Amino acid sequence: MLEKIETMQQALGRTPHLVRLGRLFSDIVLLQVDEAEYYLHFDRGQLARIEPGPSRKTPWRFALRTDAEALRAFWEPRPEPGFHDLFGLVKIERARIDGDILALVKNLRFFKEFMALGRKGTRV
Amino acid sequence: MSVEPITGRYLTVDIEGRTQRIYFEEAGQGRPVLCMHTAGADTRQWRHLMNDAGITGGNRLIAFDMPWHGKSLPPEGFETEEYLLTTETYIATVLAVIEGLGLDRPVLAGCSMGGRIALQLAALHGDRFAGFIAIEASDFQPAWYDIDWFHRPDAHGGEMGAALVSANISPHAPEAERWNTQWMFMASGPGVFRGDLGFYTRDDSLIGRLGQIDTKATPVHIMVGAYDLTCTPEDAQRTADAIPGATIAVMDELGHFPMSEHPEGFRPFFLDALARMRAGQEVAA
């Protein structure tokens, strides 16, 4: 999973429109996949650092908690209904969003498109 | 170079004592089909069907922008108002447009909140229509998000609304139409999406009226995309089950904005729906 997130980190750096969309987004996001935690340190639209957890000290803004199988389905080129969107994962109870959800919604397109960078066939 | 057959004009009508200047577009000839857009958007959602000669050859498609949407300005004095759509105002608006345009028992095709109001009209004013095509329509769903997010001074409601509703667009939709569909949300007036959602997520009055719908007099056909997270196939099926005689089609590769996001995929389903509607003269017979 860490390797996958690193691939997405590199893809983000090669996606100028996404960096521009995230230019006001500098926050820490917790991505929890099963029991594994990854603290994503975003800095002005770039993913500056990936900090593997667990951590009791890292102050995250919002968290996306899901499982590896759901993420695999989300990253399919044409996902099945419910697996096609982050809020879809929440609706079918394969993910949960915690923390400052308004911070997520304000940057929703940026974060959704960042997460979709893991999708097979995504042009980056 | 090409010029499309769609023409647009303005209709000024009185609705609940207020003057409203309403923009409408039409294309085609034959039986009138009044097309209603979703929350937070406008008639552009119907652009593909209105340019489809296979549909407009026998049907006069008419779509209008609800007040506050698209090219219909808000009413005079809007600057001090909070826009909150109600079932009563929505019904009055549709009936005023029908009367203003002199439409004789049109088919009503509405999507999302347009589908919801189609079912309200089926229950309360069925005799004014030849049939109802209720797309992404259900009895009621409470919001699974805070609708107040979409009208704040510290955020762009249009951008947030578009990013939210992208959850309802099928991954099978062509990329260009996915973004055209989202553009309308990005460009909608401040507070308009929120005001529409107030109607959609808080008014559950349709639930108790579904049994009043007489599908023998006016057919009701419900259509739902499998990728719709807002009105799921289960929501649509529950609604169809509560309307004796209603029919339903589940569209496996489509989402919440099928006519806009994936017109080619939607086309056969819409033609099938039109075929299920009666001609106006049959209703009168």
Side-chain angles (χ1 to χ4, degrees):
Chain A
M1 185 56 66
L2 181 59
E3 197 176 310
K4 178 79 166 178
I5 301 169
E6 286 169 344
T7 304
M8 291 160 59
Q9 177 185 35
Q10 292 154 16
L12 176 59
R14 295 194 302 271
T15 313
H17 88 267
L18 209 43
V19 175
R20 179 170 46 81
L21 280 174
R23 67 195 179 281
L24 299 180
F25 186 60
S26 298
D27 260 318
I28 300 169
V29 177
L30 167 58
L31 174 62
Q32 183 181 332
V33 185
D34 295 313
E35 299 309 309
E37 294 180 355
Y38 306 93
Y39 294 87
L40 311 182
H41 293 248
F42 287 96
D43 182 21
R44 289 163 293 174
Q46 297 275 13
L47 180 49
R49 190 158 67 95
I50 305 162
E51 177 193 346
S55 168
R56 295 261 179 233
K57 297 184 294 183
T58 310
W60 47 270
R61 173 72 62 182
F62 60 85
L64 173 66
R65 305 181 198 273
T66 184
D67 62 84
E69 193 187 326
L71 269 185
R72 265 196 297 276
F74 171 79
W75 282 325
E76 283 297 314
R78 286 205 169 149
E80 291 296 307
F83 292 95
H84 64 289
D85 186 89
L86 297 183
F87 281 134
L89 295 179
V90 173
K91 186 139 190 181
I92 63 172
E93 299 181 344
R94 295 296 294 270
R96 202 175 82 213
I97 296 164
D98 291 329
D100 186 352
I101 191 167
L102 184 59
L104 166 63
V105 174
K106 283 181 178 179
N107 298 280
L108 189 55
R109 183 181 163 192
F110 169 78
F111 189 69
K112 275 189 176 185
E113 290 194 25
F114 165 73
M115 288 301 296
L117 290 173
R119 193 163 279 164
K120 296 166 192 156
T122 299
R123 289 168 301 185
V124 290
Chain B
M1 196 194 83
S2 66
V3 177
E4 297 179 8
I6 302 171
T7 57
R9 287 187 290 164
Y10 290 88
L11 165 75
T12 298
V13 284
D14 236 44
I15 299 167
E16 296 180 326
R18 302 186 82 180
T19 301
Q20 301 278 9
R21 180 175 180 259
I22 290 176
Y23 176 72
F24 69 97
E25 292 182 339
E26 61 176 296
Q29 293 185 323
R31 173 179 56 180
V33 180
L34 187 64
C35 303
M36 307 286 300
H37 59 73
T38 70
D42 56 65
T43 58
R44 286 174 291 181
Q45 291 181 324
W46 294 94
R47 65 200 177 281
H48 296 290
L49 294 178
M50 294 179 98
N51 278 321
D52 187 331
I55 289 170
T56 57
N59 296 281
R60 178 186 169 203
L61 263 54
I62 304 147
F64 72 94
D65 289 346
M66 285 285 290
W68 300 77
H69 297 71
K71 291 168 86 170
S72 295
L73 290 168
E76 189 177 337
F78 80 88
E79 65 274 14
T80 60
E81 286 180 33
E82 179 185 21
Y83 170 70
L84 287 170
L85 183 63
T86 66
T87 297
E88 294 71 25
T89 299
Y90 205 169
I91 287 174
T93 303
V94 177
L95 295 180
V97 168
I98 288 172
E99 196 170 326
L101 296 180
L103 303 180
D104 180 25
R105 288 188 297 277
V107 168
L108 187 64
C111 188
S112 185
M113 76 170 191
R116 174 79 57 78
I117 210 65
L119 296 177
Q120 287 274 16
L121 285 157
L124 299 172
H125 298 279
D127 59 328
R128 305 284 299 273
F129 298 88
F132 298 91
I133 300 171
I135 306 159
E136 315 307 320
S138 65
D139 48 7
F140 178 66
Q141 291 106 11
W144 46 280
Y145 42 80
D146 181 352
I147 69 171
D148 290 337
W149 288 342
F150 304 109
H151 194 202
R152 304 170 54 94
D154 62 343
H156 192 297
E159 295 262 34
M160 291 196 296
L164 182 90
V165 303
S166 72
N168 282 325
I169 298 177
S170 163
H172 296 271
E175 199 69 3
E177 300 309 345
R178 160 185 292 274
W179 286 104
N180 283 336
T181 299
Q182 289 190 68
W183 176 255
M184 290 171 232
F185 289 87
M186 292 174 177
S188 70
V192 172
F193 187 40
R194 173 185 176 268
D196 288 339
L197 291 174
F199 154 81
Y200 190 76
T201 64
R202 292 173 180 168
D203 183 339
D204 62 358
S205 62
L206 178 60
I207 296 171
R209 294 173 180 159
L210 290 173
Q212 299 173 33
I213 297 174
D214 180 3
T215 57
K216 289 189 179 70
T218 46
V220 171
H221 184 59
I222 294 175
M223 309 161 77
V224 63
Y227 283 91
D228 189 341
L229 295 175
T230 296
C231 171
T232 64
E234 293 75 21
D235 294 323
Q237 187 65 59
R238 178 185 68 243
T239 306
D241 290 346
I243 305 171
T247 53
I248 183 169
V250 178
M251 304 175 286
D252 287 341
E253 295 191 351
L254 303 180
H256 188 74
F257 314 97
M259 66 286 184
S260 181
E261 70 182 59
H262 198 342
E264 283 305 308
F266 182 60
R267 187 177 192 272
F269 290 101
F270 193 65
L271 283 168
D272 171 66
L274 286 170
R276 294 169 184 268
M277 299 296 112
R278 295 183 184 181
Q281 55 271 29
E282 276 184 64
V283 178

